[in-house]
Amino acid sequence: MKKVIIHPERCVGCLQCMLACAVAHSASRNLVGALQEEPRPRPRIHVGVTPSGRGFPNRCRHCDPAPCMAACLPGAIFRDPTTATVLIDPDRCIACASCAMACPFGVLRFHPTFQAPPGKEVAVKCDNCDQRQAQGLPPACVEACLTRALTFEEPDQALKRQTDRISRLVLEAVPYAEDLPASLSLLRALKQATAEMNRR
Amino acid sequence: MPAYLVIGNGIAGINALEAIRSLDPRSPLTLIAEEDFPPYSRPLISLVLEGALPPERLPIRPPDFYRRLGVRALVGQRVVELDPKAARVRTDRGEQVAYDRLLIASGAHPRTVEAPGHQLAGIFCLRTQAQVQAMRAHLPGVKRAVVLGGGLVGFKAAYALLRQGIAVTMLIRSPHPLSQQVDPEAGALIRRELERHGLEVRVGVEVSAFLGSKAVEAVELSDGERLACQMVVVGKGVRPAVDFLPPEAVRTDSGILVDQHLQTSLEGVYAAGDVAQARDLVRGQPWVNAIWPVAAEQGMIAGANLAGRPVVYRGSLGRNVIRIFTLDLMTAGLVNPPRQDDYQVLTHRDPRRGTYRRLVLHRQRLVGMVLLGRVEQGGVLLALIQRGLPLEVDPQRLLEPTFNFASLLP
């Protein structure tokens, strides 16, 4: 199943993901309408600034096991069995902030939303845009990110790509030892030649 | 097939039952518990007292929870005797249950005040949903209540009553409530917030007698003064529920001492929750942190260990998050360190934002915090305390109002 993957090195701190997230979680689902809504829709992804001045998009990791879920006093936090997304039932939530105390990433916020009972402050966090996903759309933050600091893909593929990238970096950085046995050099040459032929 | 027995259906017992069943679907599993109400969220009872939550919202498991889990539930019974040699317990109804592996999650009992008149109606402890129901029934006609103690329970009771417009007088030893949870500066801010909403705090006086014919009508204080009141809440802390343990049978201190697998000094007997005394993460010594999240995590881990999957419990950490009218409080670990020289204390007050922060460090590691206002990022700090790793950032950054997860990155 596809997941939102964060590539902080690509984040330029433009905050477009936050804007798109707030709009996606508004009643009207468009910017003009969202700006006029009460309660004002708010983002569930939060771009922070690192000490060296870089942006870092911080959103719920949907941990498993999820500490917020274990800490929730009224049992309002649950995992959707089909999508593995950790969700909060605004009707059960009492905004006690036990989840905020349990979350090591600081992704919880407390405010009214159009989905919560009117006037009630509730715990709010990323829901993986489950409604958009049900319509076949990617999460709003991903769609808004122009630098591909946020991508929506199979975790295995993303992990493999990153592993390959790191291997490449290491191989380029560490020169081959000159005292390699001839058999190993031969194997490497063979693999290189095979890769070369495959490319053509 | 080992026979499991769990004593207690608080969150430690409930989580343990689920952990055992997830690893061992078939072995006989018995529960003995005093409360016959469905498994519920104990911290929510003060919200029921406040009238903010209907009692039917207390349960956090379905009514057929035990049956679904294949648990033989002996509820409404109290264990009166444990015979470790025979590996058997006896209940007040004469039921005998043998076990191969036992979890003691019997919780704690509120400390009572033995002053004359303590048996009068209208004097309550705040521990179980049944007590809260009784308090609710007594509420009509209550104009003034006296709360004994300013710890977590005393505070919650006072807050719940204030929220309903009942005048509350709180008798405490320290100059402010929650003295175990916060430092004096935060305590003063909390006290002021409560006083703004009608709390009266009396320091350094005790109750010497409860007065009244059937129900309490007044309390007599140690300085001779009389306070008229129609309700008294006793919040003098709790003591581990270990009455059924034969003396010397198991190693105890202020609770039942447990090792890193939450096993007691008796092979195959484990303890979790308010009754257990495990290593405290920041104190580095055994400590009873009688709070719900600790009971929850210990229950899960004890259950796994009972079922034969060894899981290490790293240690407990005192922590609380409380909303006091418009003031939010989050606190964790050591907030009033013993010797100042070993410890570094950083504070930051932002009157404009209405926030106060205090961090306690010990050799570059965060060991305690008090946050007043803007508590959303508190979990990030709490995780730093729990991890116990040396800080790689300037600790001053952690005090900044804009602190967030990104502040910890390069």
Side-chain angles (χ1 to χ4, degrees):
Chain A
M1 202 177 353
K2 284 185 177 179
K3 287 197 159 87
V4 176
I5 291 160
I6 294 182
H7 313 270
E9 69 281 3
R10 295 180 145 264
C11 178
V12 293
C14 69
L15 313 185
Q16 288 297 317
C17 54
M18 292 177 69
L19 185 66
C21 178
V23 171
H25 294 93
S26 68
S28 60
R29 301 242 207 149
N30 69 70
L31 182 57
V32 179
L35 285 170
Q36 288 155 11
E37 276 174 39
E38 195 55 51
R40 172 79 73 91
R42 297 197 211 181
R44 297 152 184 233
I45 183 168
H46 310 278
V47 178
V49 184
T50 72
S52 54
R54 295 204 265 182
F56 181 83
N58 195 28
R59 71 194 274 291
C60 173
R61 275 71 161 171
H62 302 275
C63 312
D64 190 4
C68 59
M69 208 159 116
C72 180
L73 298 182
I77 305 184
F78 62 101
R79 188 183 303 278
D80 183 325
T82 55
T83 60
T85 296
V86 177
L87 296 168
I88 306 174
D89 177 352
D91 290 301
R92 282 196 84 90
C93 175
I94 55 166
C96 64
S98 292
C99 50
M101 186 164 74
C103 177
F105 305 110
V107 301
L108 275 305
R109 296 294 182 276
F110 300 88
H111 54 77
T113 74
F114 81 94
Q115 283 148 321
K120 186 183 168 190
E121 190 173 284
V122 291
V124 181
K125 64 162 199 70
C126 166
D127 58 4
N128 271 336
C129 278
D130 50 357
Q131 293 193 10
R132 285 174 55 96
Q133 282 204 57
Q135 297 163 8
L137 295 167
C141 56
V142 173
E143 197 176 73
C145 184
L146 297 175
T147 61
R148 289 182 51 81
L150 297 162
T151 56
F152 188 53
E153 51 188 322
E154 294 293 338
D156 286 358
Q157 274 177 23
L159 211 57
K160 175 150 191 337
R161 202 175 57 235
Q162 195 74 340
T163 309
D164 290 351
R165 204 179 126 211
I166 289 168
S167 312
R168 250 192 337 268
L169 282 171
V170 170
L171 287 177
E172 278 164 20
V174 183
Y176 289 131
E178 279 163 14
D179 54 351
L180 271 183
S183 51
L184 266 183
S185 309
L186 190 64
L187 180 69
R188 261 213 189 101
L190 189 68
K191 284 200 165 172
Q192 225 159 20
T194 316
E196 197 73 18
M197 283 196 299
N198 284 344
R199 261 203 289 279
R200 281 180 197 160
Chain B
M1 284 215 301
Y4 303 104
L5 173 61
V6 172
I7 301 175
N9 61 352
I11 191 64
I14 291 306
N15 279 353
L17 291 175
E18 288 177 336
I20 293 168
R21 264 298 171 253
S22 71
L23 294 164
D24 184 345
R26 267 177 291 277
S27 295
L29 175 54
T30 307
L31 166 79
I32 303 176
E34 262 184 275
E35 288 187 80
D36 53 8
F37 198 74
Y40 67 98
S41 186
R42 191 177 307 285
L44 295 189
I45 60 173
S46 72
L47 285 156
V48 173
L49 176 62
E50 186 188 323
L53 192 80
E56 60 268 21
R57 290 283 287 276
L58 285 175
I60 44 171
R61 295 293 185 276
D64 59 348
F65 171 74
Y66 300 124
R67 195 182 50 75
R68 251 201 247 181
L69 214 55
V71 173
R72 180 178 167 234
L74 307 174
V75 293
Q77 304 195 35
R78 192 162 47 84
V79 172
V80 288
E81 195 186 346
L82 165 70
D83 182 348
K85 286 210 180 68
R88 197 171 50 210
V89 303
R90 191 167 57 80
T91 75
D92 57 346
R93 291 209 207 146
E95 192 102 36
Q96 304 243 14
V97 181
Y99 62 82
D100 296 310
R101 289 173 206 163
L102 169 67
L103 175 66
I104 303 173
S106 45
H109 295 309
R111 288 206 183 87
T112 50
V113 175
E114 299 297 322
H118 69 90
Q119 76 294 347
L120 285 170
I123 302 173
F124 299 97
C125 295
L126 184 60
R127 174 78 190 175
T128 63
Q129 64 84 30
Q131 283 159 348
V132 165
Q133 304 274 28
M135 286 167 97
R136 294 279 310 162
H138 188 80
L139 271 185
V142 175
K143 296 217 162 33
R144 174 168 288 277
V146 170
V147 173
L148 312 182
L152 282 168
V153 169
F155 165 82
K156 292 244 176 166
Y159 183 69
L161 295 169
L162 286 171
R163 294 275 292 186
Q164 294 174 88
I166 293 169
V168 178
T169 304
M170 184 185 262
L171 311 187
I172 45 180
R173 241 172 277 143
S174 352
H176 58 83
L178 302 174
S179 60
Q180 299 295 305
Q181 281 77 28
V182 301
D183 59 299
E185 189 169 351
L189 294 169
I190 292 166
R191 177 174 169 172
R192 197 178 315 153
E193 175 77 359
L194 289 167
E195 284 174 338
R196 227 159 51 82
H197 290 86
L199 182 79
E200 191 200 343
V201 175
R202 304 287 293 265
V203 179
V205 279
E206 298 274 329
V207 165
S208 51
F210 301 101
L211 310 171
S213 51
K214 273 175 82 181
V216 67
E217 291 160 24
V219 292
E220 191 178 274
L221 305 180
S222 48
D223 61 3
E225 197 191 335
R226 277 186 187 195
L227 277 180
C229 64
Q230 299 77 43
M231 184 187 250
V232 174
V233 186
V234 182
K236 303 294 259 180
V238 293
R239 55 176 183 85
V242 290
D243 310 322
F244 56 87
L245 288 179
E248 317 283 311
V250 54
R251 280 185 61 219
T252 59
D253 180 27
S254 30
I256 300 175
L257 289 163
V258 289
D259 66 12
Q260 58 172 3
H261 292 101
L262 300 174
Q263 186 166 233
T264 70
S265 57
L266 286 168
E267 176 85 30
V269 178
Y270 295 73
D274 292 0
V275 77
Q277 186 174 356
R279 194 182 87 95
D280 183 289
L281 278 178
V282 291
R283 289 184 167 87
Q285 52 174 309
W287 198 267
V288 178
N289 283 307
I291 53 169
W292 198 82
V294 165
E297 68 200 17
Q298 289 186 351
M300 275 180 234
I301 290 174
N305 283 310
L306 239 77
R309 178 169 173 251
V311 181
V312 167
Y313 182 59
R314 287 191 55 241
S316 71
L317 180 70
R319 54 194 190 265
N320 285 102
V321 60
I322 302 171
R323 311 207 119 171
I324 312 160
F325 296 103
T326 57
L327 203 59
D328 293 341
L329 167 71
M330 195 183 290
T331 149
L334 267 183
V335 296
N336 296 307
R339 291 180 315 277
Q340 291 286 339
D341 47 334
D342 259 35
Y343 291 87
Q344 189 189 356
V345 176
L346 305 172
T347 57
H348 179 82
R349 210 170 152 177
D350 188 336
R352 199 172 54 84
R353 288 189 171 89
T355 59
Y356 167 77
R357 294 190 160 194
R358 173 188 172 92
L359 300 178
V360 180
L361 290 102
H362 184 246
R363 295 184 191 139
Q364 286 297 103
R365 289 167 170 85
L366 192 62
V367 294
M369 67 173 198
V370 177
L371 311 180
L372 267 180
R374 303 232 173 166
V375 299
E376 289 102 329
Q377 299 302 311
V380 182
L381 294 172
L382 193 111
L384 288 177
I385 300 177
Q386 285 176 314
R387 294 269 245 2
L389 297 173
L391 290 178
E392 284 171 12
V393 292
D394 177 3
Q396 288 290 344
R397 286 197 70 101
L398 311 186
L399 285 174
E400 288 169 8
T402 54
F403 168 80
N404 62 67
F405 186 75
S407 315
L408 299 174
L409 301 174

